[in-house]
Amino acid sequence: FKIGRCMGWTDRRTQSWAAACDITAALKQAAPDDPLRYDFLLCHAVGIDAKCSGTKGAVCRERCVLYEV
C-alpha cells in the first residue's frame, strides 16, 4: 500500500479493497496477463528488505530502485 501510494497508483488514505483494486489496475498496465507479477518484488525487495518508508525523500533517492520511475 505504501509503495502504491508513493508511486501514485492510488490516492486513497487507508488500506482497503478499493485501494488494492486501484493498485492492481495500475499494475495491469505493466503486465496485462498477470498484474500481480511484481508483487513479490515490490513487497519484499523494495518494501521489506529496503525498508521502504513510502515517501520519496532523500534517503530513498540513494537506495530505491523505483525512485526515478
Side-chain angles (χ1 to χ4, degrees):
F1 174 75
K2 292 186 299 183
I3 294 167
R5 275 190 49 95
C6 185
M7 296 301 296
W9 298 334
T10 186
D11 59 358
R12 299 179 193 276
R13 293 178 171 235
T14 57
Q15 297 178 29
S16 65
W17 181 257
C21 289
D22 291 346
I23 294 167
T24 301
L27 291 172
K28 199 174 227 183
Q29 293 177 7
D33 295 335
D34 185 9
L36 299 179
R37 178 181 189 170
Y38 303 106
D39 182 61
F40 184 82
L41 170 73
L42 292 171
C43 290
H44 291 277
V46 177
I48 296 170
D49 296 343
K51 297 178 178 74
C52 178
S53 66
T55 59
K56 287 187 174 182
V59 173
C60 297
R61 193 171 322 160
E62 297 171 7
R63 67 176 183 212
C64 183
V65 297
L66 299 175
Y67 189 81
E68 297 297 326
V69 176

